[in-house]
Amino acid sequence: MTIRTRFAPSPTGYLHIGGARTALFSWAYARKFGGTFVLRIEDTDVERSTPEAVQAILDGMKWLNLDYDEGPYYQMQRMYRYKEVIQLMLEQGLAYHCYTSPEELEAMREAQRSKGEKPRYDGRWRPEPGKLLPVPPSGVQPVVRFRNPASGTVAWQDLVKGVIEFDNAELDDLVIARADGTPTYNFCVVVDDWDMNITHVIRGDDHVNNTPRQINILKALGATAPQYAHLSMILGDDGTKLSKRHGAVSVMQYDEDGYLPEAVINYLARLGWSHGDDEIFSAEQFCSWFDLNHITPSAAQFNTEKLNWVNQHYLKQADNARLSALVRPRLEARGVSVGASPVLEDVVALYKERVSTLNELADEAEVFYIDLHPAKELLDEQLSAEALPALRELSERFADIAWEAPALGALIKELLAKHKLKMPRLAMPLRVMLVGQTHTPSVDAVLALFPRETVLARMRRYL
């Protein structure tokens, strides 16, 4: 059997982190077994689906490097097929027309609720042997309902949650086509999975209640149901349902916030799945290791600190030229023009091990390309009377010294000894004058990045 998985988002919003994890797991399962990964856009909600949302999904998939083998298929382009199958089901007695009005449905449900019963369609238009159906009201367009089995159970071996079983008596006859003829979500999904030969459906557990209905329709059509794996929800840092304030944002927001796609992929892979104690691994390793047996049925918890830690690891390992290309547009978006000196790659190389995101890396790099004016309070605090003589001598000696870190470091040590100062008394005011901070990488390395003229100008402004 050739494994065929699918990711089927609705373009009613952006691709969020939960959807991205579903896409990742579906993609990885297909890749592990040399199968096919299908992208399907479920755009039948015409009022809420937008071209912008479709593009956001495609952009998110591209940024995460989740390549698909087929698609994107669009449900709105397959309407002819859904209507064809509905007509077939009507002819075979698998579905029927129902003329119950919305008002009648609400009255029916209210009466059931008042009796303590589960509100459900009562089957009044369902054809049965010997049953006399009402006369169809004139001028009313009927919906089409699926004849769900009236007895027995529907069960499946969920590849994450184990055996799940529903009593058919609890499932009323699902509407598969609205009064205007448009098919409903649960029906379109069934036809698509059938036509596209999907073997494994990996999706969120908010779809568990849809699954028995979909299985029953597939059985009625004589089709083989795929295997299902329902992923538990992702909780926020605080253990509550994931919201915008802790992760439930567009995948592309992670790009804007300065995360690397490989870091997001690595982090998502560990949200509800594990491979021993392995924390850091490539997408290729993940595909080779991934299985459905090690997905936990309990909810995963999003942890921003952990994501930052993973991203920091990938920043440290990343090529400096690549990081420079990612940091440059971030600086330019702030109105910072990156000059020829210092070379941005050199700045990135010095600072990349001290940051967690590309945006933080841009923060550090910015001071090398702007006319910096440190806070007066900070200058007053660091430019002590004790340090000023040594700083002034440094400024004079910097004018003709070899402009490289070893020589600069040696000069600083020489003047520390001469003026009987400890390193912080000289290094911290130097840092403040140069970059407006008291903590940086080694001060001689920072000095060497700047053009000599910039260092002298910044020092003499305050000495």
Side-chain angles (χ1 to χ4, degrees):
M1 177 180 66
T2 300
I3 300 294
R4 290 178 61 85
T5 65
R6 47 77 157 179
F7 177 52
S10 297
T12 54
Y14 44 71
L15 175 61
H16 56 77
I17 209 73
R21 183 186 65 165
T22 298
L24 171 63
F25 285 10
S26 301
W27 172 83
Y29 198 70
R31 291 289 169 267
K32 175 170 183 174
F33 293 103
T36 301
F37 176 54
V38 178
L39 177 61
R40 189 168 77 218
I41 306 296
E42 298 186 340
D43 57 350
T44 54
D45 188 342
V46 178
E47 291 184 1
R48 297 174 61 217
S49 298
T50 66
E52 292 77 16
V54 172
Q55 191 59 51
I57 291 167
L58 298 178
D59 289 345
M61 297 283 286
K62 183 178 180 180
W63 183 69
L64 292 170
N65 295 312
L66 298 180
D67 56 318
Y68 39 91
D69 305 298
E70 292 183 16
Y73 296 113
Y74 295 88
Q75 286 185 330
M76 287 302 294
Q77 296 175 5
R78 288 175 43 79
M79 284 293 147
Y80 72 93
R81 173 59 177 156
Y82 308 136
K83 293 178 180 180
E84 178 181 83
V85 176
I86 287 170
Q87 185 58 40
L88 175 70
M89 294 176 72
L90 286 168
E91 292 171 0
Q92 294 182 350
L94 303 174
Y96 61 93
H97 288 116
C98 171
Y99 294 86
T100 309
S101 68
E103 294 76 18
E104 289 174 317
L105 275 174
E106 183 51 40
M108 179 194 309
R109 291 167 179 156
E110 185 57 40
Q112 291 165 339
R113 279 191 288 262
S114 67
K115 298 176 184 177
E117 299 173 356
K118 179 180 177 181
R120 59 200 303 279
Y121 174 65
D122 63 7
R124 63 184 61 179
W125 287 94
R126 176 179 171 127
E128 299 289 2
K131 178 179 178 180
L132 184 63
L133 294 175
V135 176
S138 61
V140 175
Q141 291 297 318
V143 300
V144 178
R145 289 184 181 271
F146 167 62
R147 281 180 62 109
N148 194 75
S151 60
T153 60
V154 54
W156 73 96
Q157 177 72 37
D158 195 276
L159 299 176
V160 172
K161 297 180 176 295
V163 175
I164 300 178
E165 185 172 330
F166 284 77
D167 192 328
N168 279 320
E170 294 294 311
L171 305 174
D172 57 5
D173 290 351
L174 180 72
V175 173
I176 59 175
R178 303 177 184 90
D180 64 1
T182 59
T184 59
Y185 163 79
N186 271 302
F187 181 72
C188 296
V189 168
V190 166
V191 176
D192 289 340
D193 286 343
W194 181 27
D195 286 354
M196 297 174 190
N197 298 311
I198 301 302
T199 62
H200 293 76
V201 171
I202 302 169
R203 59 188 180 187
D205 64 1
D206 53 325
H207 289 284
V208 165
N209 288 336
N210 294 329
T211 305
R213 299 179 183 280
Q214 293 173 9
I215 291 174
N216 280 342
I217 296 173
L218 285 164
K219 286 182 177 178
L221 291 169
T224 301
Q227 296 186 66
Y228 294 93
H230 289 94
L231 310 175
S232 294
M233 66 174 4
I234 302 173
L235 302 177
D237 295 89
D238 56 3
T240 62
K241 184 178 179 182
L242 199 65
S243 65
K244 287 184 179 180
R245 66 187 173 87
H246 45 27
V249 295
S250 167
V251 162
M252 298 312 295
Q253 184 65 48
Y254 288 91
D255 178 26
E256 292 180 26
D257 289 347
Y259 293 94
L260 296 174
E262 60 266 37
V264 175
I265 284 288
N266 191 156
Y267 180 71
L268 282 179
R270 291 286 283 111
L271 274 181
W273 174 88
S274 63
H275 184 267
D277 294 327
D278 292 297
E279 295 282 359
I280 300 294
F281 42 81
S282 67
E284 291 73 23
Q285 285 175 310
F286 175 55
C287 289
S288 68
W289 291 342
F290 183 65
D291 59 17
L292 299 173
N293 298 328
H294 288 85
I295 296 176
T296 176
S298 57
Q301 190 160 353
F302 191 90
N303 186 311
T304 304
E305 287 186 11
K306 186 66 171 290
L307 172 60
N308 288 342
W309 177 80
V310 173
N311 199 58
Q312 186 175 48
H313 168 84
Y314 281 98
L315 285 172
K316 290 177 181 178
Q317 304 299 317
D319 178 74
N320 295 330
R322 178 194 174 200
L323 292 182
S324 174
L326 292 170
V327 168
R328 184 180 295 272
R330 286 172 161 77
L331 292 172
E332 292 172 347
R334 305 176 184 187
V336 176
S337 178
V338 178
S341 183
V343 176
L344 184 55
E345 279 188 41
D346 294 340
V347 177
V348 162
L350 185 60
Y351 278 88
K352 68 179 183 179
E353 295 198 6
R354 301 172 63 91
V355 299
S356 296
T357 68
L358 290 166
N359 291 356
E360 291 177 6
L361 192 51
D363 292 339
E364 301 290 359
E366 180 178 332
V367 297
F368 290 86
Y369 304 101
I370 61 175
D371 185 18
L372 184 74
H373 293 278
K376 184 177 183 302
E377 297 79 5
L378 195 56
L379 287 165
D380 291 344
E381 178 186 337
Q382 295 299 330
L383 295 178
S384 65
E386 181 187 18
L388 280 172
L391 288 168
R392 289 181 179 128
E393 186 172 350
L394 260 184
S395 176
E396 293 170 3
R397 299 277 298 274
F398 278 168
D400 56 9
I401 193 173
W403 204 252
E404 55 190 23
L408 293 167
L411 175 59
I412 290 171
K413 289 178 181 177
E414 176 190 332
L415 293 189
L416 286 173
K418 177 180 178 180
H419 292 269
K420 295 182 172 57
L421 297 172
K422 294 190 179 299
M423 178 63 82
R425 302 304 297 165
L426 203 54
M428 289 177 72
L430 262 178
R431 290 182 172 111
V432 168
M433 288 187 286
L434 292 175
V435 299
Q437 303 169 19
T438 56
H439 298 284
T440 69
S442 175
V443 69
D444 52 0
V446 173
L447 281 164
L449 281 179
F450 280 102
R452 184 196 309 264
E453 298 73 18
T454 302
V455 170
L456 294 177
R458 291 191 180 187
M459 289 183 70
R460 289 167 181 168
R461 184 182 294 170
Y462 306 108
L463 297 177

mmCIF file of all heavy atoms in Angstrom, residues 130-165:
data_model
loop_
_atom_site.group_PDB
_atom_site.id
_atom_site.type_symbol
_atom_site.label_atom_id
_atom_site.label_comp_id
_atom_site.label_asym_id
_atom_site.label_seq_id
_atom_site.Cartn_x
_atom_site.Cartn_y
_atom_site.Cartn_z
ATOM 1 N N GLY A 130 -43.180 1.050 4.568
ATOM 2 C CA GLY A 130 -44.499 1.198 5.168
ATOM 3 C C GLY A 130 -44.771 2.554 5.773
ATOM 4 O O GLY A 130 -45.876 2.796 6.292
ATOM 5 N N LYS A 131 -43.790 3.451 5.728
ATOM 6 C CA LYS A 131 -43.977 4.776 6.326
ATOM 7 C C LYS A 131 -44.572 5.730 5.300
ATOM 8 O O LYS A 131 -44.113 5.801 4.157
ATOM 9 C CB LYS A 131 -42.627 5.315 6.826
ATOM 10 C CG LYS A 131 -42.683 6.714 7.421
ATOM 11 C CD LYS A 131 -41.292 7.135 7.897
ATOM 12 C CE LYS A 131 -41.278 8.538 8.466
ATOM 13 N NZ LYS A 131 -39.930 8.938 8.921
ATOM 14 N N LEU A 132 -45.592 6.463 5.727
ATOM 15 C CA LEU A 132 -46.231 7.436 4.850
ATOM 16 C C LEU A 132 -45.595 8.794 5.108
ATOM 17 O O LEU A 132 -45.716 9.341 6.207
ATOM 18 C CB LEU A 132 -47.743 7.498 5.115
ATOM 19 C CG LEU A 132 -48.538 8.422 4.182
ATOM 20 C CD1 LEU A 132 -48.440 7.923 2.736
ATOM 21 C CD2 LEU A 132 -49.999 8.498 4.632
ATOM 22 N N LEU A 133 -44.914 9.308 4.118
ATOM 23 C CA LEU A 133 -44.231 10.589 4.284
ATOM 24 C C LEU A 133 -45.194 11.750 4.055
ATOM 25 O O LEU A 133 -46.178 11.624 3.308
ATOM 26 C CB LEU A 133 -43.073 10.703 3.295
ATOM 27 C CG LEU A 133 -41.903 9.727 3.493
ATOM 28 C CD1 LEU A 133 -40.891 9.872 2.370
ATOM 29 C CD2 LEU A 133 -41.238 9.964 4.839
ATOM 30 N N PRO A 134 -44.938 12.891 4.676
ATOM 31 C CA PRO A 134 -45.771 14.071 4.439
ATOM 32 C C PRO A 134 -45.684 14.513 2.977
ATOM 33 O O PRO A 134 -44.747 14.144 2.250
ATOM 34 C CB PRO A 134 -45.170 15.130 5.374
ATOM 35 C CG PRO A 134 -44.329 14.381 6.347
ATOM 36 C CD PRO A 134 -43.877 13.149 5.638
ATOM 37 N N VAL A 135 -46.653 15.295 2.560
ATOM 38 C CA VAL A 135 -46.616 15.870 1.211
ATOM 39 C C VAL A 135 -45.602 17.007 1.219
ATOM 40 O O VAL A 135 -45.662 17.887 2.091
ATOM 41 C CB VAL A 135 -48.000 16.421 0.808
ATOM 42 C CG1 VAL A 135 -47.920 17.095 -0.560
ATOM 43 C CG2 VAL A 135 -49.026 15.296 0.790
ATOM 44 N N PRO A 136 -44.631 17.018 0.291
ATOM 45 C CA PRO A 136 -43.643 18.096 0.275
ATOM 46 C C PRO A 136 -44.325 19.453 0.141
ATOM 47 O O PRO A 136 -45.194 19.633 -0.728
ATOM 48 C CB PRO A 136 -42.791 17.781 -0.957
ATOM 49 C CG PRO A 136 -42.941 16.310 -1.158
ATOM 50 C CD PRO A 136 -44.357 16.000 -0.749
ATOM 51 N N PRO A 137 -43.975 20.398 0.993
ATOM 52 C CA PRO A 137 -44.582 21.726 0.916
ATOM 53 C C PRO A 137 -44.155 22.443 -0.359
ATOM 54 O O PRO A 137 -43.010 22.303 -0.809
ATOM 55 C CB PRO A 137 -44.054 22.425 2.168
ATOM 56 C CG PRO A 137 -42.792 21.711 2.511
ATOM 57 C CD PRO A 137 -42.999 20.299 2.088
ATOM 58 N N SER A 138 -45.061 23.200 -0.937
ATOM 59 C CA SER A 138 -44.755 23.900 -2.188
ATOM 60 C C SER A 138 -43.801 25.068 -1.913
ATOM 61 O O SER A 138 -43.878 25.719 -0.871
ATOM 62 C CB SER A 138 -46.040 24.412 -2.831
ATOM 63 O OG SER A 138 -46.700 25.328 -1.980
ATOM 64 N N GLY A 139 -42.922 25.283 -2.865
ATOM 65 C CA GLY A 139 -42.021 26.430 -2.777
ATOM 66 C C GLY A 139 -40.872 26.264 -1.798
ATOM 67 O O GLY A 139 -40.140 27.213 -1.545
ATOM 68 N N VAL A 140 -40.702 25.075 -1.215
ATOM 69 C CA VAL A 140 -39.630 24.852 -0.248
ATOM 70 C C VAL A 140 -38.537 23.993 -0.897
ATOM 71 O O VAL A 140 -38.816 22.914 -1.417
ATOM 72 C CB VAL A 140 -40.146 24.143 1.024
ATOM 73 C CG1 VAL A 140 -38.979 23.818 1.958
ATOM 74 C CG2 VAL A 140 -41.173 25.003 1.725
ATOM 75 N N GLN A 141 -37.310 24.498 -0.894
ATOM 76 C CA GLN A 141 -36.184 23.729 -1.401
ATOM 77 C C GLN A 141 -35.665 22.822 -0.285
ATOM 78 O O GLN A 141 -35.315 23.302 0.792
ATOM 79 C CB GLN A 141 -35.070 24.667 -1.878
ATOM 80 C CG GLN A 141 -35.411 25.457 -3.125
ATOM 81 C CD GLN A 141 -35.639 24.544 -4.320
ATOM 82 O OE1 GLN A 141 -34.914 23.568 -4.537
ATOM 83 N NE2 GLN A 141 -36.673 24.847 -5.092
ATOM 84 N N PRO A 142 -35.619 21.522 -0.515
ATOM 85 C CA PRO A 142 -35.197 20.614 0.560
ATOM 86 C C PRO A 142 -33.682 20.548 0.697
ATOM 87 O O PRO A 142 -32.943 20.849 -0.232
ATOM 88 C CB PRO A 142 -35.739 19.261 0.096
ATOM 89 C CG PRO A 142 -35.659 19.345 -1.409
ATOM 90 C CD PRO A 142 -35.984 20.782 -1.751
ATOM 91 N N VAL A 143 -33.238 20.136 1.881
ATOM 92 C CA VAL A 143 -31.842 19.739 2.059
ATOM 93 C C VAL A 143 -31.754 18.256 1.731
ATOM 94 O O VAL A 143 -32.786 17.576 1.586
ATOM 95 C CB VAL A 143 -31.352 19.992 3.506
ATOM 96 C CG1 VAL A 143 -31.452 21.464 3.860
ATOM 97 C CG2 VAL A 143 -32.101 19.126 4.504
ATOM 98 N N VAL A 144 -30.558 17.748 1.592
ATOM 99 C CA VAL A 144 -30.350 16.312 1.400
ATOM 100 C C VAL A 144 -29.677 15.770 2.650
ATOM 101 O O VAL A 144 -28.681 16.316 3.114
ATOM 102 C CB VAL A 144 -29.488 16.019 0.158
ATOM 103 C CG1 VAL A 144 -29.245 14.513 0.019
ATOM 104 C CG2 VAL A 144 -30.140 16.566 -1.098
ATOM 105 N N ARG A 145 -30.268 14.696 3.207
ATOM 106 C CA ARG A 145 -29.705 14.064 4.392
ATOM 107 C C ARG A 145 -29.216 12.656 4.068
ATOM 108 O O ARG A 145 -29.821 11.941 3.266
ATOM 109 C CB ARG A 145 -30.747 13.981 5.517
ATOM 110 C CG ARG A 145 -31.089 15.331 6.143
ATOM 111 C CD ARG A 145 -32.058 15.150 7.311
ATOM 112 N NE ARG A 145 -32.430 16.425 7.918
ATOM 113 C CZ ARG A 145 -31.768 17.014 8.905
ATOM 114 N NH1 ARG A 145 -30.691 16.424 9.418
ATOM 115 N NH2 ARG A 145 -32.171 18.177 9.388
ATOM 116 N N PHE A 146 -28.142 12.266 4.720
ATOM 117 C CA PHE A 146 -27.604 10.911 4.612
ATOM 118 C C PHE A 146 -28.390 9.989 5.531
ATOM 119 O O PHE A 146 -28.677 10.334 6.677
ATOM 120 C CB PHE A 146 -26.123 10.922 5.007
ATOM 121 C CG PHE A 146 -25.541 9.556 5.232
ATOM 122 C CD1 PHE A 146 -25.494 8.622 4.207
ATOM 123 C CD2 PHE A 146 -25.031 9.192 6.481
ATOM 124 C CE1 PHE A 146 -24.964 7.351 4.422
ATOM 125 C CE2 PHE A 146 -24.498 7.934 6.708
ATOM 126 C CZ PHE A 146 -24.463 7.007 5.664
ATOM 127 N N ARG A 147 -28.750 8.812 5.017
ATOM 128 C CA ARG A 147 -29.445 7.806 5.846
ATOM 129 C C ARG A 147 -28.415 7.084 6.711
ATOM 130 O O ARG A 147 -27.835 6.070 6.311
ATOM 131 C CB ARG A 147 -30.155 6.787 4.967
ATOM 132 C CG ARG A 147 -31.483 7.244 4.393
ATOM 133 C CD ARG A 147 -32.075 6.137 3.532
ATOM 134 N NE ARG A 147 -32.341 4.937 4.312
ATOM 135 C CZ ARG A 147 -33.549 4.490 4.631
ATOM 136 N NH1 ARG A 147 -34.616 5.150 4.227
ATOM 137 N NH2 ARG A 147 -33.691 3.392 5.329
ATOM 138 N N ASN A 148 -28.172 7.642 7.876
ATOM 139 C CA ASN A 148 -27.230 7.013 8.800
ATOM 140 C C ASN A 148 -27.816 5.693 9.299
ATOM 141 O O ASN A 148 -29.033 5.585 9.498
ATOM 142 C CB ASN A 148 -26.970 7.947 9.993
ATOM 143 C CG ASN A 148 -25.763 7.514 10.804
ATOM 144 O OD1 ASN A 148 -24.636 7.711 10.368
ATOM 145 N ND2 ASN A 148 -26.006 6.937 11.968
ATOM 146 N N PRO A 149 -26.997 4.663 9.485
ATOM 147 C CA PRO A 149 -27.535 3.414 10.048
ATOM 148 C C PRO A 149 -28.283 3.701 11.350
ATOM 149 O O PRO A 149 -27.806 4.463 12.197
ATOM 150 C CB PRO A 149 -26.278 2.579 10.304
ATOM 151 C CG PRO A 149 -25.286 3.083 9.310
ATOM 152 C CD PRO A 149 -25.561 4.544 9.182
ATOM 153 N N ALA A 150 -29.455 3.096 11.502
ATOM 154 C CA ALA A 150 -30.304 3.383 12.664
ATOM 155 C C ALA A 150 -29.880 2.603 13.901
ATOM 156 O O ALA A 150 -30.289 2.932 15.020
ATOM 157 C CB ALA A 150 -31.758 3.060 12.329
ATOM 158 N N SER A 151 -29.085 1.562 13.716
ATOM 159 C CA SER A 151 -28.681 0.739 14.863
ATOM 160 C C SER A 151 -27.226 0.323 14.718
ATOM 161 O O SER A 151 -26.573 0.618 13.711
ATOM 162 C CB SER A 151 -29.582 -0.506 14.946
ATOM 163 O OG SER A 151 -29.449 -1.272 13.753
ATOM 164 N N GLY A 152 -26.741 -0.379 15.730
ATOM 165 C CA GLY A 152 -25.355 -0.835 15.693
ATOM 166 C C GLY A 152 -24.392 0.263 16.119
ATOM 167 O O GLY A 152 -24.785 1.312 16.634
ATOM 168 N N THR A 153 -23.137 -0.002 15.909
ATOM 169 C CA THR A 153 -22.100 0.955 16.296
ATOM 170 C C THR A 153 -21.145 1.203 15.142
ATOM 171 O O THR A 153 -21.077 0.414 14.194
ATOM 172 C CB THR A 153 -21.275 0.438 17.492
ATOM 173 O OG1 THR A 153 -20.646 -0.797 17.134
ATOM 174 C CG2 THR A 153 -22.150 0.245 18.722
ATOM 175 N N VAL A 154 -20.444 2.298 15.232
ATOM 176 C CA VAL A 154 -19.355 2.583 14.295
ATOM 177 C C VAL A 154 -18.111 2.790 15.151
ATOM 178 O O VAL A 154 -18.124 3.548 16.113
ATOM 179 C CB VAL A 154 -19.659 3.806 13.400
ATOM 180 C CG1 VAL A 154 -20.030 5.035 14.223
ATOM 181 C CG2 VAL A 154 -18.464 4.120 12.507
ATOM 182 N N ALA A 155 -17.044 2.069 14.817
ATOM 183 C CA ALA A 155 -15.831 2.117 15.637
ATOM 184 C C ALA A 155 -14.604 2.114 14.737
ATOM 185 O O ALA A 155 -14.651 1.647 13.596
ATOM 186 C CB ALA A 155 -15.788 0.922 16.584
ATOM 187 N N TRP A 156 -13.532 2.647 15.257
ATOM 188 C CA TRP A 156 -12.268 2.587 14.535
ATOM 189 C C TRP A 156 -11.116 2.548 15.537
ATOM 190 O O TRP A 156 -11.255 2.955 16.679
ATOM 191 C CB TRP A 156 -12.118 3.764 13.572
ATOM 192 C CG TRP A 156 -11.847 5.093 14.209
ATOM 193 C CD1 TRP A 156 -10.644 5.695 14.397
ATOM 194 C CD2 TRP A 156 -12.820 6.015 14.738
ATOM 195 N NE1 TRP A 156 -10.788 6.915 15.011
ATOM 196 C CE2 TRP A 156 -12.123 7.135 15.217
ATOM 197 C CE3 TRP A 156 -14.216 5.989 14.848
ATOM 198 C CZ2 TRP A 156 -12.763 8.216 15.809
ATOM 199 C CZ3 TRP A 156 -14.862 7.064 15.423
ATOM 200 C CH2 TRP A 156 -14.142 8.163 15.901
ATOM 201 N N GLN A 157 -10.014 2.009 15.073
ATOM 202 C CA GLN A 157 -8.791 1.963 15.874
ATOM 203 C C GLN A 157 -8.020 3.235 15.590
ATOM 204 O O GLN A 157 -7.291 3.337 14.605
ATOM 205 C CB GLN A 157 -7.953 0.727 15.506
ATOM 206 C CG GLN A 157 -6.615 0.626 16.237
ATOM 207 C CD GLN A 157 -6.768 0.275 17.706
ATOM 208 O OE1 GLN A 157 -7.636 -0.519 18.063
ATOM 209 N NE2 GLN A 157 -5.936 0.855 18.548
ATOM 210 N N ASP A 158 -8.200 4.223 16.443
ATOM 211 C CA ASP A 158 -7.492 5.477 16.235
ATOM 212 C C ASP A 158 -6.010 5.260 16.515
ATOM 213 O O ASP A 158 -5.639 4.655 17.531
ATOM 214 C CB ASP A 158 -8.056 6.556 17.167
ATOM 215 C CG ASP A 158 -7.617 7.943 16.755
ATOM 216 O OD1 ASP A 158 -6.503 8.357 17.135
ATOM 217 O OD2 ASP A 158 -8.382 8.611 16.044
ATOM 218 N N LEU A 159 -5.166 5.744 15.617
ATOM 219 C CA LEU A 159 -3.735 5.470 15.714
ATOM 220 C C LEU A 159 -3.049 6.274 16.805
ATOM 221 O O LEU A 159 -1.870 6.052 17.085
ATOM 222 C CB LEU A 159 -3.064 5.737 14.361
ATOM 223 C CG LEU A 159 -3.588 4.854 13.222
ATOM 224 C CD1 LEU A 159 -2.962 5.244 11.896
ATOM 225 C CD2 LEU A 159 -3.327 3.380 13.519
ATOM 226 N N VAL A 160 -3.781 7.192 17.441
ATOM 227 C CA VAL A 160 -3.263 7.929 18.592
ATOM 228 C C VAL A 160 -4.046 7.588 19.850
ATOM 229 O O VAL A 160 -3.484 7.306 20.906
ATOM 230 C CB VAL A 160 -3.300 9.450 18.343
ATOM 231 C CG1 VAL A 160 -2.943 10.226 19.619
ATOM 232 C CG2 VAL A 160 -2.345 9.838 17.215
ATOM 233 N N LYS A 161 -5.363 7.558 19.751
ATOM 234 C CA LYS A 161 -6.221 7.449 20.928
ATOM 235 C C LYS A 161 -6.713 6.037 21.215
ATOM 236 O O LYS A 161 -7.383 5.809 22.225
ATOM 237 C CB LYS A 161 -7.419 8.393 20.767
ATOM 238 C CG LYS A 161 -7.015 9.861 20.699
ATOM 239 C CD LYS A 161 -8.227 10.770 20.551
ATOM 240 C CE LYS A 161 -7.814 12.231 20.572
ATOM 241 N NZ LYS A 161 -7.229 12.671 21.856
ATOM 242 N N GLY A 162 -6.418 5.098 20.342
ATOM 243 C CA GLY A 162 -6.907 3.740 20.554
ATOM 244 C C GLY A 162 -8.310 3.564 19.993
ATOM 245 O O GLY A 162 -8.761 4.332 19.134
ATOM 246 N N VAL A 163 -9.032 2.558 20.477
ATOM 247 C CA VAL A 163 -10.362 2.268 19.953
ATOM 248 C C VAL A 163 -11.349 3.363 20.367
ATOM 249 O O VAL A 163 -11.448 3.720 21.538
ATOM 250 C CB VAL A 163 -10.873 0.899 20.454
ATOM 251 C CG1 VAL A 163 -12.307 0.667 19.987
ATOM 252 C CG2 VAL A 163 -9.959 -0.217 19.955
ATOM 253 N N ILE A 164 -12.078 3.885 19.388
ATOM 254 C CA ILE A 164 -13.139 4.873 19.638
ATOM 255 C C ILE A 164 -14.418 4.314 19.010
ATOM 256 O O ILE A 164 -14.408 3.847 17.870
ATOM 257 C CB ILE A 164 -12.797 6.241 19.037
ATOM 258 C CG1 ILE A 164 -11.508 6.783 19.649
ATOM 259 C CG2 ILE A 164 -13.948 7.235 19.258
ATOM 260 C CD1 ILE A 164 -11.054 8.125 19.089
ATOM 261 N N GLU A 165 -15.489 4.348 19.748
ATOM 262 C CA GLU A 165 -16.744 3.742 19.290
ATOM 263 C C GLU A 165 -17.920 4.674 19.564
ATOM 264 O O GLU A 165 -17.978 5.328 20.606
ATOM 265 C CB GLU A 165 -16.958 2.410 20.012
ATOM 266 C CG GLU A 165 -18.169 1.626 19.531
ATOM 267 C CD GLU A 165 -18.223 0.242 20.147
ATOM 268 O OE1 GLU A 165 -17.139 -0.330 20.451
ATOM 269 O OE2 GLU A 165 -19.337 -0.268 20.335
#
